[in-house]
C-alpha cells in the first residue's frame, strides 16, 4: 500500500454564510427550533438524507443553492437572529453565576451520550439521560465537561427480515461530517493524542470535542494509524466484543479520560461516574494524586474518594460488569505496583468482600468504594440499590445503607414539540424556558382553553401517523415488498383513533407483549368500530438477547394479521428521531415492566410535556409522579414471586383499565368534539410532572448535594500541602487500630413503672472508647417496631450525648426516648466513628452494637 496523506476539506461556504458553521458545531441548535428550521429550509431533501446533521448538510448541499442563500436577505436575517440568540445564550448570567462558588472543573464520565440522531453514540436510556444531563448543565452554567468514547460504528442499526426477526447493521460514522472537531495538542498544533497503559503496551487515543451550549464533551478514539490493528478496534462498537474488549474499553474511558483532561490542562476536582463503566477513572485519579503529590496511598484515596460521585442505573446484579481476577491482574499489575499496594489489595477495591479471593472484580463495587456519594435514579431504585449492595456494609441496617437517590428528569426543550412550545409561550409566558422547575408557572396550564390543547394534540397525532406510514412504507420497500403491501402502508392507523405508544429497549422484564396475553380480548379492544384503538411499537433488542428478539418477532407477526394490520405498527430502528415523533404524538404512553426492575425510565416524562398521558406499572419514576389524577397505574405496586401469575393478573388489570376507564374517557366528547375530562387529565399531568421531572431540577440536585460540596471539599483537602487530608487519614488509622476494643458496656432505662404515650424515658449507656474521645464517636439508641422474626425493622436512631461522667476510658452517654405511640417497641444502642468531614456517617464501615 502506498503512503497516504490525510487532508480535511471544509465546506466551501460563501462568506456571508460562514456563521452557519458556528451554529452547526454547537449542539445548542438541537433544542432550538428556529435553528433547526434554518438548516431544514436550506434544502429539505438534503436535510433528511443527512439525518438532520447540519455539518454534513453544509458539506453536501450544492454550491448554486449556497450562492442563492447568500443573496437571500430573508434567510440571512433569520441566520443572524439565530446567531444572536446563540450568543445571548452563551453570554447570559446563569444559575451557577448567581452565587460565589468554589472554582474547579466537574467531569461527567459516561460510556454513551444520546444528544441527537445525527450522533449515534448511544444505545438507550443511559445515553439519553447523559445527553440531557449535559444540556441542563449548559443551561445552568456549570463548569462541567463530559468524557466518553467515540465509536466508529456506534450501536446497532436495526432492521427486520420479512419474517419479523431482528437483524443488525453497523454503519461507519464519518467523524469529519459530524458536529465535532479533533482537539489540537497544546504544542505543535497536531491532534491531541493521549497514552493509556494497557497490559504489556500503551494504547494511543485521539481526543475529539463536542460542544453542547456552554459545556464540552471530550470523546476518545483509538482508531488511529499509530495503534496496532487490534487496538484500533477498541472504540469500534458501543458495548461490542467479548469481556476483555469491554475491560479495555472501560480502561480507555476511565483512565484515558482523566489523561485527556490533564493533557488539555483541565484536570477535574470533582468526578461523576454515570454507571460503573467509567470507574477506572478513580484509579487514574489515585495514580495522579499519589505520584504527583507524593502522598501515601490512603491519603491519595481519601482525597479522590471524597470528590467522586457514582450514579447507578442498574437494579439487577446481572446487569453489572464483572471481570475475572486473573484478567484484572494482567491489566493492572503495573498500576498496583505504582500505587504501592498488592494485587490482593487492588482486587479488594472491586469486591464486596475484599477477603474473598474467588469473588470477581465488580465495576459497580469499585465505583461505590471509590465514591463518597452513591445514588440511584428514583426513590424506589434507591431502596432497591440499598438492598442490592447492603453486603458492602454488613453491620448496617439496609435502610441506612449510604446510597441515596436523585430521580431522573428530561431536558424539556429538547423533547418538546414546537406545537406545544407555542402553546406554553402564549399562556405561560417565556419564563418556563429559563425556569422549568417553577411550579407556579406550570400552574398556568389550567388556564389554557381545552379546545386549544386538544387541537394541538390532534395535529401532533397527525404528524406521528404520517411519519409512521412513511417509515413503514420505507421498511417494506427495503424488503422488496409487492406494490399492494406498499399501498396498505398508506392506510395503516387512523388519525382520529386513540393512539398508544410503547417504545423502549426490548428486554424481557419490560414485557412488551403483555398486551397480547389475551389476543381475543385485545382484538375486541382495538377493532371496536365506534371507539378504535391503535398501538405503535418501537425498540431494539441487544444482538445477543434471543428472548428480546422473540418479543419483537411476536409483535410483528401479530401486526401482520389482517384484523390487526391497521391497528398495530412496529417502527424499525428506534432512535432519537423516532422517539421524538412518538413522545410528541401519542395519546397514551404504555409502560409494563416487572416491578422493581425499572430503575427510573424517562420516556413517559417526555410524553407528558407534549400532552400525552402515562399508563404504567408503579415502578421507577412513576411511583413518585402518580397522584391518581395525572394518569393511570396498573396495580398498586405489588411485587410477585411467580412471573406467570403476575402476567396474568397485570394483563387483566391493563385490559380493564383500557376498556372501562381510558377508552371511554378519550371518546367522551362535548358538542365541539373535545374530550373535556381527558384534557383536564392532560393539564393535571403537565402541572404535576413537568416542573419536577426535568433535568434542570435533577442537575441542580446533583450540584447542591454533590458537586458544590465536592468542590469545597477538594479546596479544603488540598490546602496547606494537603494538611487536612493527612490529618483525616491519621485519625482514620487511629480509629481503625482502636475500634476492635470499642464496645458498649452497659445500657439502662431509668424509668419507674410502665411508660405511657407522651412520656420521655431516660436512657443511659456506658461505652468503652479505648482511648478515643467522646466527640470522635456517635452513640445512638436505635428504636423501632419488631418484625415477625423479632428484629427491629426500619428503626430510627436517637442521638445520645456525652455526659461529664466517665470511668477511665469508659464514657457515659445519655438521652430520652420519646414514647410516640402505644404498643411494643424494641431498642438497642450502637456506636460508630464520627468526624464532620466524612462523606457519610458510615464511611469507615465500623459499627458496634450492644451485645
Amino acid at each position: 500500500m502506498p503512503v497516504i496523506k490525510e487532508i480535511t476539506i471544509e465546506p466551501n461556504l460563501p462568506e456571508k454564510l460562514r456563521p452557519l458553521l458556528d451554529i452547526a458545531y454547537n449542539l445548542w441548535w438541537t433544542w432550538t427550533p428556529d435553528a433547526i428550521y434554518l438548516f431544514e429550509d436550506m434544502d429539505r431533501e438534503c436535510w433528511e438524507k443527512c439525518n438532520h446533521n447540519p455539518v454534513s448538510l453544509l458539506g453536501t448541499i450544492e454550491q448554486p443553492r449556497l450562492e442563492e442563500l447568500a443573496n437571500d436577505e430573508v434567510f440571512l436575517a433569520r441566520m443572524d437572529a439565530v446567531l444572536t440568540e446563540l450568543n445571548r445564550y452563551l453570554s447570559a448570567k446563569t444559575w451557577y453565576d448567581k452565587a460565589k462558588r468554589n472554582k474547579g472543573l466537574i467531569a461527567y464520565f459516561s460510556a454513551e451520550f444520546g444528544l441527537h440522531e445525527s450522533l449515534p453514540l448511544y444505545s438507550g436510556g443511559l445515553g439519553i439521560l447523559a445527553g440531557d444531563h449535559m444540556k441542563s448543565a449548559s443551561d445552568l452554567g456549570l463548569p462541567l465537561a463530559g468524557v466518553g468514547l467515540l465509536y466508529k460504528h456506534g450501536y446497532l442499526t436495526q432492521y427486520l427480515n420479512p419474517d419479523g426477526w431482528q437483524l443488525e447493521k453497523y454503519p461507519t460514522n464519518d467523524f469529519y461530517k459530524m458536529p465535532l472537531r479533533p482537539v489540537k495538542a497544546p504544542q505543535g498544533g497536531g491532534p491531541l493524542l493521549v497514552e493509556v497503559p494497557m497490559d504489556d503496551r500503551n494504547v494511543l487515543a485521539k481526543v475529539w470535542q463536542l460542544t453542547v451550549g456552554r459545556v464540552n464533551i471530550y470523546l476518545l478514539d483509538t482508531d488511529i494509524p499509530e495503534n496496532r490493528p487490534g487496538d484500533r478496534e477498541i472504540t469500534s462498537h458501543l458495548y461490542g466484543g467479548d469481556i476483555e474488549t469491554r475491560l479495555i474499553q472501560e480502561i480507555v474511558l476511565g483512565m484515558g479520560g482523566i489523561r485527556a483532561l490533564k493533557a488539555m490542562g483541565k484536570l477535574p476536582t470533582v468526578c461523576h461516574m454515570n454507571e460503573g463503566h467509567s470507574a477506572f477513572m478513580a484509579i487514574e485519579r489515585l495514580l495522579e494524586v499519589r505520584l504527583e503529590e507524593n502522598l501515601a496511598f490512603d491519603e491519595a484515596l481519601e482525597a479522590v474518594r471524597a470528590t467522586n460521585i457514582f450514579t447507578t442505573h442498574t437494579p439487577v446484579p446481572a446487569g453489572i460488569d464483572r471481570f475475572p481476577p486473573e484478567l484484572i491482574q494482567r491489566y493492572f499489575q503495573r498500576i498496583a505496583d505504582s500505587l504501592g499496594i498488592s494485587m490482593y489489595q487492588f482486587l479488594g477495591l472491586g469486591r464486596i468482600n475484599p477477603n474473598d479471593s474467588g469473588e470477581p472484580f465488580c465495576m459497580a463495587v469499585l465505583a461505590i468504594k471509590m465514591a463518597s456519594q452513591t445514588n440511584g435514579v428514583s426513590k424506589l431504585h434507591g431502596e432497591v440499590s440499598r438492598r442490592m449492595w447492603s453486603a458492602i456494609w454488613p453491620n448496617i441496617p439496609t435502610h441506612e445503607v449510604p446510597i441515596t437517590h436523585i430521580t431522573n428528569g428530561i431536558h424539556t426543550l429538547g423533547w418538546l414539540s414546537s406545537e406545544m412550545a407555542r402553546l406554553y409561550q402564549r399562556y405561560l409566558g417565556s419564563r418556563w424556558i429559563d425556569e422549568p422547575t417553577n411550579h407556579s408557572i406550570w400552574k398556568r396550564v389550567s388556564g389554557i382553553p381545552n379546545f386549544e390543547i386538544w387541537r394541538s394534540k390532534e395535529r401532533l397525532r397527525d404528524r406521528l401517523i404520517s411519519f409512521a406510514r412513511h417509515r413503514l412504507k420505507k421498511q417494506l420497500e427495503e424488503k422488496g415488498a409487492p406494490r399492494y403491501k406498499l399501498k396498505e402502508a398508506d392506510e395503516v392507523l387512523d388519525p382520529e383513533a386513540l393512539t398508544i405508544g410503547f417504545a423502549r429497549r426490548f428486554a424481557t422484564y419490560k414485557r412488551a407483549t403483555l398486551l397480547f396475553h389475551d389476543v381475543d380480548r385485545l382484538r375486541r379492544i382495538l377493532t371496536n368500530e365506534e371507539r378504535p384503538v391503535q398501538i405503535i411499537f418501537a425498540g431494539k433488542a441487544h444482538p445477543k438477547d434471543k428472548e428480546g428478539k422473540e418479543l419483537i418477532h411476536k409483535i410483528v407477526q401479530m401486526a401482520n394479521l389482517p384484523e390487526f394490520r391497521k391497528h398495530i405498527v412496529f417502527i424499525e430502528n428506534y432512535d432519537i428521531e423516532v422517539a421524538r415523533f412518538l413522545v410528541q404524538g401519542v395519546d397514551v404512553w404504555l409502560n409494563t415492566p416487572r416491578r422493581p426492575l425499572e430503575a427510573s425510565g424517562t420516556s413517559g416524562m417526555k410524553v407528558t410535556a407534549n400532552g400525552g398521558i402515562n399508563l404504567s406499572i408503579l415502578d421507577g419514576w412513576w411511583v413518585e409522579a402518580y397522584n391518581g389524577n395525572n394518569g393511570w397505574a396498573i396495580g398498586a405496586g405489588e411485587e410477585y414471586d411467580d412471573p406467570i401469575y403476575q402476567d396474568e393478573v397485570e394483563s387483566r388489570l391493563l385490559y380493564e383499565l383500557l376498556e372501562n376507564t381510558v377508552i371511554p374517557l378519550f371518546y367522551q366528547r362535548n358538542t365541539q368534539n373535545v374530550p373535556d375530562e381527558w384534557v383536564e387529565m392532560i393539564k393535571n399531568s403537565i402541572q404535576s410532572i413537568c416542573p419536577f421531572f426535568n433535568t434542570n431540577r435533577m442537575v441542580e440536585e446533583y450540584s447542591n448535594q454533590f458537586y458544590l460540596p465536592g468542590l469545597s471539599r477538594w479546596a479544603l483537602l488540598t490546602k496547606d500541602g494537603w494538611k487536612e487530608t493527612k490529618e483525616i487519614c491519621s485519625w482514620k488509622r487511629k480509629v481503625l487500630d482502636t475500634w476492635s476494643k470499642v464496645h458498649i458496656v452497659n445500657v439502662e432505662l431509668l424509668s419507674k413503672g410502665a411508660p405511657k404515650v407522651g412520656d420521655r424515658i431516660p436512657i443511659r449507656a456506658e461505652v468503652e472508647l479505648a482511648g478515643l474521645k467522646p466527640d470522635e464517636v456517635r452513640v445512638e439508641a436505635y428504636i423501632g417496631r419488631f418484625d415477625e422474626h423479632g428484629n427491629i425493622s426500619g428503626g430510627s436512631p436517637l442521638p445520645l450525648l456525652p455526659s461529664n461522667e466517665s470511668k477511665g476510658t469508659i464514657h457515659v452517654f445519655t438521652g430520652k426516648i420519646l414514647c410516640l405511640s402505644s404498643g411494643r417497641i424494641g431498642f438497642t444502642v450502637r456506636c460508630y466513628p464520627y468526624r464532620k468531614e466524612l462523606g457519610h456517617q458510615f464511611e469507615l464501615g465500623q459499627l458496634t452494637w450492644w451485645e
Side-chain angles (χ1 to χ4, degrees):
M1 194 90 181
V3 174
I4 299 174
K5 285 285 187 181
E6 179 182 299
I7 58 172
T8 303
I9 302 172
E10 291 194 351
N12 184 20
L13 294 179
E15 191 61 34
K16 289 182 180 179
L17 298 182
R18 298 294 293 178
L20 288 172
L21 288 172
D22 294 330
I23 301 169
Y25 277 99
N26 190 320
L27 291 185
W28 167 86
W29 65 261
T30 63
W31 68 89
T32 308
D34 286 347
I36 296 170
Y37 299 147
L38 184 73
F39 291 121
E40 183 180 39
D41 290 347
M42 292 180 74
D43 187 323
R44 295 194 177 209
E45 186 177 345
C46 189
W47 177 249
E48 291 299 325
K49 286 181 179 178
C50 293
N51 199 26
H52 312 144
N53 177 351
V55 173
S56 180
L57 173 78
L58 296 176
T60 305
I61 196 167
E62 293 183 356
Q63 203 66 30
R65 175 58 177 161
L66 292 175
E67 299 295 341
E68 180 186 342
L69 290 168
N71 293 305
D72 185 335
E73 295 299 326
V74 174
F75 181 84
L76 293 175
R78 289 174 61 196
M79 180 188 71
D80 289 342
V82 170
L83 187 64
T84 298
E85 182 58 24
L86 171 59
N87 291 330
R88 185 206 65 79
Y89 174 85
L90 295 176
S91 60
K93 196 166 186 178
T94 66
W95 172 83
Y96 192 81
D97 295 327
K98 289 177 183 176
K100 292 182 179 179
R101 320 278 186 181
N102 281 302
K103 292 182 179 180
L105 177 69
I106 304 154
Y108 181 87
F109 285 74
S110 183
E112 49 177 302
F113 286 92
L115 295 149
H116 188 258
E117 60 264 25
S118 63
L119 286 158
L121 307 173
Y122 61 94
S123 70
L126 179 72
I128 301 299
L129 187 279
D132 282 10
H133 191 113
M134 297 303 296
K135 291 171 184 177
S136 282
S138 168
D139 289 345
L140 296 169
L142 289 183
L144 185 142
V147 179
L149 299 179
L150 188 59
Y151 303 100
K152 184 75 175 223
H153 302 288
Y155 195 58
L156 67 94
T157 296
Q158 176 198 57
Y159 69 102
L160 305 182
N161 70 11
D163 189 46
W165 190 258
Q166 174 181 297
L167 300 172
E168 299 88 28
K169 294 185 291 187
Y170 295 91
T172 301
N173 289 323
D174 185 347
F175 302 146
Y176 291 95
K177 287 188 177 181
M178 295 166 74
L180 48 84
R181 286 174 164 143
V183 175
K184 293 183 178 180
Q187 289 142 357
L192 176 63
L193 303 179
V194 295
E195 204 171 61
V196 186
M198 198 74 64
D199 193 7
D200 57 348
R201 66 196 187 282
N202 289 321
V203 171
L204 290 173
K206 184 177 179 178
V207 185
W208 297 73
Q209 177 179 311
L210 189 60
T211 301
V212 185
R214 299 180 177 94
V215 302
N216 293 314
I217 302 174
Y218 299 101
L219 302 169
L220 279 70
D221 165 26
T222 65
D223 185 26
I224 55 176
E226 292 84 350
N227 285 328
R228 68 186 194 181
D231 290 339
R232 296 187 68 164
E233 295 294 315
I234 294 172
T235 55
S236 180
H237 296 85
L238 172 59
Y239 304 139
D242 57 15
I243 191 170
E244 186 168 357
T245 302
R246 178 68 67 88
L247 175 66
I248 294 170
Q249 277 192 342
E250 294 180 355
I251 292 171
V252 173
L253 171 62
M255 302 187 73
I258 289 291
R259 291 181 175 219
L261 292 172
K262 182 183 179 183
M264 293 183 286
K266 300 177 183 291
L267 201 60
T269 50
V270 172
C271 290
H272 185 170
M273 297 170 275
N274 187 43
E275 199 44 272
H277 309 116
S278 57
F280 290 132
M281 168 277 299
I283 301 300
E284 181 63 28
R285 288 192 80 196
L286 264 180
L287 269 175
E288 172 71 24
V289 174
R290 171 106 168 81
L291 301 181
E292 294 291 325
E293 303 296 335
N294 195 29
L295 297 179
F297 173 77
D298 62 341
E299 293 168 347
L301 180 61
E302 180 65 33
V304 167
R305 182 164 51 198
T307 52
N308 282 343
I309 299 127
F310 171 50
T311 297
T312 174
H313 294 257
T314 309
V316 289
I320 303 293
D321 287 337
R322 289 178 168 84
F323 299 108
E326 57 273 16
L327 191 62
I328 295 295
Q329 180 166 1
R330 206 174 100 208
Y331 279 89
F332 285 93
Q333 185 63 63
R334 284 194 297 170
I335 304 296
D337 293 343
S338 297
L339 288 171
I341 60 174
S342 67
M343 179 49 60
Y344 183 77
Q345 288 173 287
F346 187 91
L347 288 167
L349 294 172
R351 288 170 167 163
I352 292 175
N353 179 1
N355 299 316
D356 181 359
S357 58
E359 184 181 335
F361 188 90
C362 174
M363 294 301 286
V365 173
L366 175 64
I368 289 170
K369 290 188 174 184
M370 296 300 294
S372 63
Q373 305 289 344
T374 297
N375 71 281
V377 289
S378 70
K379 184 177 181 181
L380 179 59
H381 182 233
E383 296 171 9
V384 170
S385 298
R386 285 190 285 276
R387 291 197 299 269
M388 186 171 166
W389 300 113
S390 61
I392 296 175
W393 300 273
N395 293 324
I396 297 170
T398 301
H399 70 283
E400 291 188 290
V401 164
I403 298 177
T404 182
H405 79 276
I406 291 180
T407 302
N408 282 347
I410 62 163
H411 186 255
T412 307
L413 275 177
W415 294 99
L416 193 64
S417 63
S418 54
E419 189 76 38
M420 292 301 290
R422 285 193 294 269
L423 200 60
Y424 293 153
Q425 195 82 359
R426 191 155 62 246
Y427 288 96
L428 277 60
S430 59
R431 282 177 58 203
W432 69 273
I433 297 174
D434 295 323
E435 302 177 46
T437 62
N438 190 324
H439 286 255
S440 64
I441 294 174
W442 288 101
K443 285 188 182 297
R444 298 176 193 168
V445 167
S446 62
I448 303 176
N450 285 358
F451 77 89
E452 287 211 46
I453 289 181
W454 186 243
R455 296 294 175 254
S456 295
K457 197 63 208 165
E458 286 188 311
R459 283 190 283 269
L460 290 171
R461 191 189 314 115
D462 282 345
R463 283 183 61 226
L464 168 60
I465 289 169
S466 176
F467 172 77
R469 288 172 175 173
H470 173 75
R471 286 293 288 262
L472 184 60
K473 190 172 182 179
K474 186 178 177 182
Q475 291 168 200
L476 291 169
E477 285 174 343
E478 290 173 352
K479 295 177 179 63
R483 184 173 297 178
Y484 80 91
K485 285 278 188 184
L486 303 182
K487 187 176 179 181
E488 286 178 353
D490 287 329
E491 299 172 354
V492 300
L493 306 176
D494 178 352
E496 295 185 359
L498 172 61
T499 304
I500 298 173
F502 184 101
R504 50 194 36 88
R505 182 167 55 91
F506 266 69
T508 51
Y509 80 85
K510 293 178 184 284
R511 297 189 295 177
T513 56
L514 188 66
L515 261 176
F516 298 99
H517 203 76
D518 185 337
V519 176
D520 290 334
R521 194 169 180 181
L522 179 63
R523 182 183 294 110
R524 292 194 297 273
I525 291 171
L526 298 188
T527 60
N528 185 308
E529 290 186 7
E530 295 181 359
R531 303 187 306 187
V533 179
Q534 55 202 14
I535 312 166
I536 302 177
F537 288 93
K540 299 175 181 177
H542 188 277
K544 297 178 182 177
D545 184 2
K546 184 181 178 183
E547 290 181 332
K549 290 184 177 183
E550 286 173 348
L551 293 176
I552 294 173
H553 180 256
K554 180 176 180 178
I555 290 170
V556 174
Q557 292 294 311
M558 296 296 293
N560 287 333
L561 294 175
E563 62 266 41
F564 288 139
R565 192 167 291 141
K566 292 185 178 181
H567 297 270
I568 300 175
V569 167
F570 186 94
I571 298 177
E572 293 179 21
N573 199 34
Y574 185 42
D575 66 358
I576 288 177
E577 182 190 15
V578 175
R580 192 184 302 115
F581 275 97
L582 281 169
V583 300
Q584 291 176 3
V586 299
D587 299 296
V588 172
W589 192 253
L590 180 63
N591 189 33
T592 54
R594 292 191 195 280
R595 175 181 164 124
L597 300 182
E598 184 88 292
S600 175
T602 59
S603 53
M605 305 172 194
K606 299 157 192 164
V607 170
T608 297
N610 288 288
I613 304 176
N614 283 275
L615 169 59
S616 176
I617 296 289
L618 283 170
D619 198 7
W621 76 282
W622 190 234
V623 181
E624 298 167 61
Y626 176 66
N627 65 14
N629 297 310
N630 60 357
W632 300 280
I634 304 167
E638 300 89 351
E639 295 179 19
Y640 297 79
D641 295 326
D642 183 347
I644 296 174
Y645 177 67
Q646 179 179 8
D647 290 352
E648 176 69 30
V649 170
E650 293 183 339
S651 64
R652 287 185 182 182
L653 290 172
L654 175 54
Y655 293 136
E656 288 168 9
L657 272 170
L658 288 170
E659 292 167 337
N660 302 323
T661 304
V662 178
I663 297 170
L665 198 69
F666 181 84
Y667 284 103
Q668 183 180 321
R669 308 294 173 89
N670 64 17
T671 55
Q672 294 178 303
N673 199 33
V674 175
D676 282 324
E677 290 187 37
W678 183 276
V679 175
E680 287 302 318
M681 182 167 279
I682 289 175
K683 290 181 178 181
N684 290 336
S685 180
I686 292 170
Q687 291 176 86
S688 60
I689 291 172
C690 287
F692 183 81
F693 294 94
N694 63 74
T695 42
N696 280 48
R697 183 273 311 161
M698 182 191 84
V699 175
E700 279 188 31
E701 287 191 21
Y702 276 112
S703 299
N704 290 326
Q705 295 181 35
F706 302 154
Y707 297 162
L708 301 180
L711 292 173
S712 299
R713 186 97 174 106
W714 182 261
L716 177 66
L717 291 171
T718 57
K719 190 178 179 182
D720 298 332
W722 302 85
K723 179 183 176 184
E724 183 73 17
T725 302
K726 293 174 181 178
E727 287 181 359
I728 291 172
C729 288
S730 177
W731 175 79
K732 284 186 174 182
R733 292 184 204 114
K734 178 185 76 171
V735 169
L736 293 174
D737 288 344
T738 304
W739 199 257
S740 61
K741 301 170 189 173
V742 172
H743 62 278
I744 296 160
V745 178
N746 188 43
V747 176
E748 294 180 275
L749 283 185
L750 306 176
S751 171
K752 296 179 181 178
K756 297 180 176 60
V757 174
D759 286 353
R760 294 178 181 271
I761 308 172
I763 182 172
R764 179 179 185 275
E766 297 177 5
V767 185
E768 170 60 72
L769 294 183
L772 296 177
K773 298 175 183 176
D775 63 356
E776 294 179 299
V777 300
R778 281 287 181 267
V779 178
E780 297 171 340
Y782 186 77
I783 308 159
R785 299 282 177 182
F786 288 106
D787 62 16
E788 58 187 89
H789 305 294
N791 299 316
I792 295 174
S793 177
S796 300
L798 168 71
L800 302 183
L801 302 178
S803 68
N804 294 324
E805 187 181 349
S806 63
K807 302 173 186 175
T809 56
I810 297 175
H811 292 261
V812 176
F813 294 78
T814 61
K816 291 182 179 180
I817 297 175
L818 174 61
C819 302
L820 292 172
S821 61
S822 61
R824 192 172 68 122
I825 63 167
F827 79 93
T828 185
V829 173
R830 66 187 189 183
C831 178
Y832 54 89
Y834 172 78
R835 188 180 173 109
K836 63 180 175 60
E837 293 86 3
L838 296 179
H840 58 79
Q841 65 197 68
F842 300 124
E843 186 175 304
L844 272 72
Q846 304 297 323
L847 187 63
T848 296
W849 294 87
W850 178 33
E851 295 180 352

